[in-house]
Amino acid sequence: LINDSTSLLNALEAILATDRKLEKLYVYTELKSDVDTSNSENQALNSGAETLVSDFSASTAWFEPELLAIPEQQLLSMIHNNSELQKYQHYFDVINMQRNHVLSADEEKLLAGAENIFSSSSRTFGIINDSDLTFPVVFDESGDEVQLSQGIYDTLIKSTDRAVRKQAFERLYEVYGQFKNTLASTLSGEVKAHNFMAKSHKYVSAKDQALSQNQIPESVFDTLVKTDDAHLPLLHRYVALRKRILNLKELHMYDMYTPITGEPSLSYTYEEAKATALDALSVFGKDYISHVEEAFSSRWIDVVENKGKRSGAYSSGAYDTAPYMLLNWQNDLDNLYTLVHEMGHSMHSWYTHHNQPYQYGDYSIFVAEIASTTNENILTDYLLNKYDDPKIRAYILNYYLDGFKGTIFRQTQFAEFEQFIHEADAQGNPLTSDMMTKYYGDLNARYYGNEVSRDPQIGLEWSRIPHFYYNFYVYQYATGFAAATTLANGITHGSKENVQEYLNYLSAGSANYPIEVMKSAGVNMTQSTYLEKAFDTFEKRLDEFEKIIENN
């Protein structure tokens, strides 16, 4: 690479061209596997693609070390004198920031070749969680037997019949309790891999590495935790209100998700949800809506829950594919929110892929959750503007407050746990199931306060959270939701400029640093102001909710 700018350009374009083909292949096999995680042929295809990714990483691991072996001023001169290389200026800038953390070519090749090994704990957890765990039969609100699953649990835990949600809660954690030591081993293995890679690349910690790779200052994470902890009294106030409205002597964790306004006032078939989503998201303009319509009409979405299908929901796809979505549809308001959430991701991908060249045709996970949760906030505003009926408004407000609780409070709780297990491992403390269960139970008690009984099962919640395998991902749900509050307010109550700034954010890809992309959209995430605004919105809606309850 050091010979001349043409050699550098040719090498970079060859690597990116191969990566582009491999990305499409990998996404295909991953989606194919998620359709039925029990299908061994699909698993084999996905495993083969993962091996190719590992081989490709090993075969190209020399590039960054050799690039960074070029003296910085010489590299800048090479870029300056070649107009084609200038198209990759920001790409080079990002790599250049890693100068102190990139090893020799041989060392990087060795670590890249072991990528499949380092990710084995995560893959094992995925197979256990999605395919191998056998859940018991439980009873629904009608007294009918239903096979408990991740998707069915998410529905039953919201039941207004306390016996139903209590049974679902206890029976689910019975299963996880049986495998707590195995699941502690898989999580411990993943944490060790994170810490090993961070130490190998001369980072202070796994958190430092994870945030640095997205050019995010650690202060963003620390400010979130500090600001969230300062506002825990708001969560305690909401929890106490929940206990009072439900008229319970003891409030348990399985009482946290049932609507405290009673039976759901709103439910949606998938077709009804599509129509509502199109109407709510119309604030983004005709161009945005045309692509949402394309998602619905062109089979981008796998809708129905099936046996063996991966649980949950996500948006995926590659630069050269549609931004496909996986759902496990249930006819409730939560699934409407999930639909618009994942649609936010898919529209983010669509605008990025159609406005950026391949080298900038993705986006940082730090900004990813902002697009999805902006859609959620837009939907909340839409529903509150649509309904005057106090009972319906109370239900929507309750849903928003629960969503805020689950996204900002709960994900920050997850982030604190994630930091704890990484620091504990780095200090040489074994991550046993008993140790993690005790810490998680104590953390959960601090977050929810004295009004909630200490259910021993909740200490095991760490064992079923896939995001703990993602290496400091979860905090971005909280920062994203808070930033989305500012953006959504601008879109619904501001001007066309706010909408255009938002579409520019969706189109920015990775052509600039994430913090700068958000500043251009009107949100400075290096300060706590956006978080304070989010907690202020939560408090105002909690005030309105309390007044409706008192008057009815």
Side-chain angles (χ1 to χ4, degrees):
L1 300 184
I2 200 170
N3 291 338
D4 55 70
S5 60
T6 302
S7 297
L8 174 57
L9 178 65
N10 290 342
L12 178 58
E13 289 185 338
I15 288 172
L16 290 177
T18 308
D19 184 60
R20 188 167 174 173
K21 293 179 181 179
L22 182 57
E23 177 188 63
K24 189 174 182 181
L25 177 66
Y26 177 79
V27 167
Y28 172 79
T29 63
E30 182 179 48
L31 299 187
K32 188 75 171 172
S33 176
D34 285 351
V35 167
D36 184 359
T37 60
S38 66
N39 185 306
S40 59
E41 182 179 349
N42 292 345
Q43 287 185 24
L45 288 172
N46 190 222
S47 178
E50 288 177 343
T51 299
L52 280 176
V53 170
S54 180
D55 290 346
F56 176 73
S57 296
S59 299
T60 56
W62 59 271
F63 180 77
E64 288 191 14
E66 186 168 326
L67 176 71
L68 294 175
I70 303 173
E72 189 169 358
Q73 289 304 314
Q74 182 181 344
L75 177 60
L76 292 174
S77 178
M78 292 169 70
I79 297 169
H80 178 74
N81 294 324
N82 188 314
S83 60
E84 289 300 308
L85 278 180
Q86 289 171 20
K87 297 176 182 178
Y88 299 91
Q89 179 67 62
H90 182 66
Y91 180 91
F92 289 124
D93 289 344
V94 170
I95 294 176
N96 208 39
M97 292 178 68
Q98 305 300 315
R99 275 189 178 270
N100 296 328
H101 304 290
V102 174
L103 309 179
S104 70
D106 286 343
E107 289 171 323
E108 290 291 354
K109 182 176 182 179
L110 184 65
L111 289 175
E115 185 176 330
N116 231 0
I117 299 171
F118 288 127
S119 62
S120 61
S121 290
S122 177
R123 289 199 309 275
T124 301
F125 168 78
I127 292 171
I128 292 172
N129 199 45
D130 292 328
S131 185
D132 285 355
L133 291 184
T134 301
F135 295 100
V137 170
V138 294
F139 296 95
D140 63 15
E141 293 173 331
S142 301
D144 296 327
E145 291 187 343
V146 292
Q147 178 70 52
L148 190 62
S149 67
Q150 302 280 6
I152 295 298
Y153 174 79
D154 288 343
T155 298
L156 296 181
I157 200 66
K158 299 183 185 76
S159 173
T160 53
D161 185 330
R162 198 179 193 208
V164 168
R165 58 182 187 261
K166 181 176 186 289
Q167 182 188 39
F169 178 81
E170 292 178 346
R171 299 304 299 275
L172 182 89
Y173 281 108
E174 279 178 14
V175 175
Y176 281 98
Q178 291 171 9
F179 294 93
K180 63 181 182 179
N181 294 320
T182 299
L183 295 170
S185 178
T186 59
L187 183 54
S188 175
E190 186 71 14
V191 170
K192 287 181 182 298
H194 296 168
N195 282 338
F196 174 81
M197 292 299 284
K199 186 176 180 179
S200 298
H201 288 97
K202 305 172 187 175
Y203 287 96
V204 175
S205 64
K207 183 178 75 171
D208 178 30
Q209 181 179 29
L211 271 66
S212 293
Q213 288 179 341
N214 292 294
Q215 303 86 51
I216 305 299
E218 279 197 77
S219 60
V220 172
F221 182 101
D222 297 337
T223 298
L224 168 68
V225 173
K226 182 179 178 181
T227 308
D228 188 82
D229 283 354
H231 288 85
L232 284 180
L234 276 177
L235 178 58
H236 298 165
R237 175 183 157 195
Y238 174 59
V239 166
L241 176 64
R242 170 175 284 272
K243 181 179 181 180
R244 188 164 75 250
I245 294 172
L246 292 174
N247 194 27
L248 296 173
K249 290 184 178 179
E250 291 186 355
L251 185 72
H252 291 267
M253 288 305 298
Y254 53 78
D255 299 317
M256 283 296 172
Y257 300 97
T258 184
I260 50 182
T261 53
E263 289 290 344
S265 308
L266 299 170
S267 64
Y268 297 85
T269 65
Y270 180 63
E271 291 301 319
E272 291 169 339
K274 284 165 58 177
T276 302
L278 285 167
D279 201 21
L281 300 178
S282 63
V283 294
F284 291 120
K286 291 182 180 179
D287 187 70
Y288 186 99
I289 283 297
S290 70
H291 308 308
V292 176
E293 290 173 338
E294 184 181 2
F296 288 135
S297 63
S298 300
R299 297 184 63 189
W300 292 4
I301 310 174
D302 184 343
V303 179
V304 182
E305 182 181 21
N306 289 301
K307 185 177 181 181
K309 182 179 176 181
R310 175 174 163 160
S311 62
Y314 64 71
S315 171
S316 183
Y319 187 81
D320 294 309
T321 76
Y324 296 112
M325 286 176 273
L326 178 141
L327 304 176
N328 282 276
W329 189 262
Q330 307 289 327
N331 291 337
D332 56 27
L333 184 64
D334 187 51
N335 275 257
L336 170 61
Y337 270 90
T338 298
L339 175 62
V340 298
H341 177 104
E342 300 305 338
M343 190 63 74
H345 284 310
S346 288
M347 291 301 101
H348 195 181
S349 297
W350 192 97
Y351 276 94
T352 294
H353 296 166
H354 287 79
N355 286 280
Q356 295 295 337
Y358 182 72
Q359 65 267 28
Y360 303 133
D362 59 359
Y363 43 81
S364 164
I365 57 174
F366 182 75
V367 301
E369 293 303 330
I370 296 173
S372 54
T373 48
T374 296
N375 276 19
E376 289 190 39
N377 278 273
I378 291 292
L379 178 59
T380 298
D381 286 336
Y382 168 84
L383 293 173
L384 288 175
N385 287 330
K386 183 176 180 179
Y387 296 106
D388 294 323
D389 185 319
K391 289 185 178 179
I392 295 180
R393 288 186 67 81
Y395 183 76
I396 296 167
L397 287 166
N398 177 204
Y399 186 89
Y400 166 80
L401 296 170
D402 277 344
F404 192 104
K405 168 177 66 69
T407 306
I408 292 190
F409 286 117
R410 188 168 186 246
Q411 298 300 330
T412 307
Q413 176 188 345
F414 284 177
E416 287 202 53
F417 177 75
E418 193 172 18
Q419 181 169 3
F420 165 74
I421 57 178
H422 282 83
E423 289 179 349
D425 177 74
Q427 293 164 5
N429 298 320
L431 301 181
T432 65
S433 63
D434 288 345
M435 182 266 263
M436 288 191 287
T437 299
K438 182 182 185 308
Y439 180 86
Y440 194 92
D442 291 343
L443 181 66
N444 192 80
R446 175 164 67 83
Y447 261 76
Y448 288 93
N450 296 329
E451 296 291 345
V452 181
S453 299
R454 291 197 61 162
D455 297 305
Q457 295 92 338
I458 201 62
L460 283 168
E461 189 170 41
W462 61 264
S463 67
R464 60 180 290 260
I465 306 300
H467 292 75
F468 289 150
Y469 294 78
Y470 290 8
N471 196 12
F472 289 94
Y473 184 103
V474 292
Y475 84 96
Q476 294 160 120
Y477 285 115
T479 56
F481 192 96
T485 301
T486 298
L487 292 173
N489 285 340
I491 291 165
T492 55
H493 305 297
S495 64
K496 290 184 178 180
E497 274 188 18
N498 294 99
V499 175
Q500 189 55 55
E501 285 178 351
Y502 182 77
L503 296 179
N504 290 343
Y505 144 70
L506 294 183
S507 304
S510 56
N512 202 347
Y513 300 114
I515 290 291
E516 298 305 317
V517 169
M518 294 317 303
K519 283 181 181 178
S520 298
V523 184
N524 186 346
M525 300 182 72
T526 64
Q527 300 176 357
S528 63
T529 305
Y530 78 103
L531 293 165
E532 298 289 352
K533 286 181 179 179
F535 286 112
D536 183 57
T537 300
F538 178 86
E539 186 170 15
K540 287 178 180 176
R541 288 181 172 167
L542 179 57
D543 289 343
E544 182 186 351
F545 181 63
E546 286 178 329
K547 287 179 181 177
I548 293 175
I549 296 299
E550 289 170 4
N551 294 332
N552 290 274

